[in-house]
Amino acid sequence: METIAAADEVVGICRDLLRIDTTNTGDPRTTVGERVAAEYVAAQLGEVGIDAELMESAPKRANLVARIPGADRSRGALLLHGHLDVVPADASEWSVDPFSGEEKDGYLWGRGAIDMKDFDAMMLAVVRDWARTGYVPPRDIVLCYTADEEAGMQYGSQWLVDNHRDLFEGCTEAIGEVGGYSYTVNDDLRLYLVQTAEKGLDWLRLHATGRPGHGSFIHDDNAVTNLADAVARVGHHRFPTVVTPTVRAFLEQVGDALGIDIDPANPEQAIAKLGPIANLIGATIRNTANPTRLEAGYKDNVIPGRASATIDCRTLPGEADGFLATLRELIGPDIEIEHVHQQPAVETSFDGALVDAMGAALRAEDPGARTVPYLMSGGTDAKAFATLGIRCFGFAPLKLPADLNFASLFHGIDERVPVDGLKFGVRVLDRLLRNS
């Protein structure tokens, strides 16, 4: 199978995308927007004769959808999705300009290199190669490039689902980010983690009230103190371990690969042996509630009548109701809870022809590959697309150096993707799409 052109082209496409600043701060006043990047994708598709629909959900917040007809249009279509926005980067903290797309030491460096302009580039390189060679995939492929994934999807995938769901007509399965990357067990065995589930998200704002007054007086009813007590109880609480079906399957396969017995009642013992991905997996065995922001007062010597805090809550599939009940007890009855943004957990089974094709495509390029399902502690656009009844998987294939702390690069300093990994990913993605 000839994929040399796509494998060579993907590096340049990824570099181009990294050089387009698409910073999403979550604040419309400071967010750059995705329009320029979406126009770049549209131009790259148009150059090879692929028509795309570019839609703005708000000024400069652009989304793009294109459908590539397949040989058997009666089959369910496959959705490939990637977001174009990136989280902010402070250039003073980086060793390179975060928007330079610099290539050095075998890596492409820049904000979005793995989250997720690498996969954006892979998708584009593959379909451009198909168009140039006249290849027709087995079934319809729907390409979707979204805005606003990093700040809740309001202007991106959720907006598309709410306003343009007809563009996803017939889609039964989807492939997106944060999966398909390798974890090296030894020279002859690499586990490739395929995301089949995501924790739910609930951003809460807590509001405490009290009696305002002068800072020099004695105040037993202080809003800041009331809030701080509640936030401290939440922040110090450790939720119990819960092993979901996806995590159980992951642990069983990891235990087999590492040759260790894993006690489901004590999964942390096994997770501690996973090195660079231990933090990524460790957050998938319990619910979490992390205080992230505090806001109170307007003057140093005035006790305010109101204080607020933000709690980032992530819940395991099936655990949302029990989690909220526990949280209410921790916070106490006198603190108001506001649900700022909610997204349910999603989970699908690790089976079917597409899953089999993932494993076959990886093994064709890496004979030491073994696919395993995993639950992601964060969230992706899959949360929106799953509401359309689409089975969603995280599979942006990368063969990584054994010593690379991949998990630390997400939203981290000096984000980078291995050049050889990009080329590997294109070859795997091409094989997968041709055989699924």
Side-chain angles (χ1 to χ4, degrees), residues 229 233 337 350 408:
D229 287 344
R233 287 192 297 271
I337 299 177
F350 190 60
S408 71

Side-chain angles (χ1 to χ4, degrees), residues 140-291:
D140 281 12
I141 301 294
V142 176
L143 293 181
C144 181
Y145 289 84
T146 65
D148 199 36
E149 190 275 344
E150 297 291 4
M153 310 182 308
Q154 177 184 355
Y155 298 104
S157 56
Q158 192 59 59
W159 180 82
L160 287 169
V161 167
D162 291 341
N163 296 280
H164 297 280
R165 63 175 52 208
D166 57 299
L167 295 173
F168 308 103
E169 183 69 31
C171 290
T172 55
E173 296 165 310
I175 293 173
E177 63 176 328
V178 200
Y181 56 89
S182 66
Y183 165 70
T184 299
V185 177
N186 55 51
D187 290 344
D188 301 317
L189 177 60
R190 276 159 296 282
L191 303 181
Y192 285 82
L193 281 63
V194 178
Q195 188 222 117
T196 59
E198 295 180 6
K199 286 176 114 176
L201 179 150
D202 197 351
W203 289 336
L204 303 179
R205 194 153 293 145
L206 309 186
H207 302 289
T209 57
R211 182 167 52 87
H214 198 286
S216 66
F217 297 164
I218 295 174
H219 282 264
D220 295 326
D221 185 19
N222 186 316
V224 175
T225 303
N226 297 339
L227 178 73
D229 287 344
V231 169
R233 287 192 297 271
V234 171
H236 289 302
H237 183 75
R238 178 64 66 94
F239 288 85
T241 297
V242 177
V243 179
T244 64
T246 297
V247 172
R248 184 178 297 275
F250 171 82
L251 292 173
E252 288 173 352
Q253 295 202 40
V254 167
D256 178 65
L258 298 179
I260 59 175
D261 292 326
I262 295 179
D263 179 4
N266 185 23
E268 290 174 311
Q269 184 179 25
I271 291 172
K273 299 179 181 181
L274 298 181
I277 64 169
N279 285 341
L280 191 71
I281 303 302
T284 68
I285 59 172
R286 56 170 44 90
N287 300 314
T288 59
N290 288 311

Side-chain angles (χ1 to χ4, degrees), residues 104-109 113-115 118 181-185 190-191 193 274-280 397-410 412-422:
K104 69 170 186 174
D105 303 328
Y107 289 85
L108 269 182
W109 300 62
I114 62 167
D115 188 13
D118 58 340
Y181 56 89
S182 66
Y183 165 70
T184 299
V185 177
R190 276 159 296 282
L191 303 181
L193 281 63
L274 298 181
I277 64 169
N279 285 341
L280 191 71
L398 285 173
K399 185 179 180 182
L400 301 171
D403 59 350
L404 178 66
N405 189 345
F406 185 62
S408 71
L409 298 179
F410 283 89
I413 298 166
D414 284 342
E415 184 180 350
R416 59 198 182 276
V417 63
V419 172
D420 287 344
L422 268 177

Side-chain angles (χ1 to χ4, degrees), residues 7 23 26 102 124 232 297 323 395 405 408:
T23 298
E102 182 174 338
L124 196 49
F323 167 83
F395 188 79
N405 189 345
S408 71

Side-chain angles (χ1 to χ4, degrees), residues 305-374:
R306 184 177 175 87
S308 302
T310 302
I311 311 292
D312 185 343
C313 303
R314 309 290 174 133
T315 54
L316 297 167
E319 291 287 310
D321 291 343
F323 167 83
L324 287 174
T326 299
L327 203 63
R328 176 77 270 183
E329 292 179 6
L330 290 169
I331 292 169
D334 298 326
I335 305 291
E336 176 192 348
I337 299 177
E338 176 190 359
H339 293 270
V340 178
H341 188 72
Q342 287 181 290
Q343 296 171 350
V346 296
E347 187 168 27
T348 189
S349 55
F350 190 60
D351 55 19
L354 182 60
V355 169
D356 293 341
M358 290 176 185
L362 284 167
R363 289 189 297 274
E365 296 294 334
D366 178 5
R370 182 192 299 184
T371 54
V372 297
Y374 89 105

Side-chain angles (χ1 to χ4, degrees), residues 3-14:
T3 59
I4 295 176
D8 287 342
E9 190 175 53
V10 70
V11 178
I13 292 174
C14 189

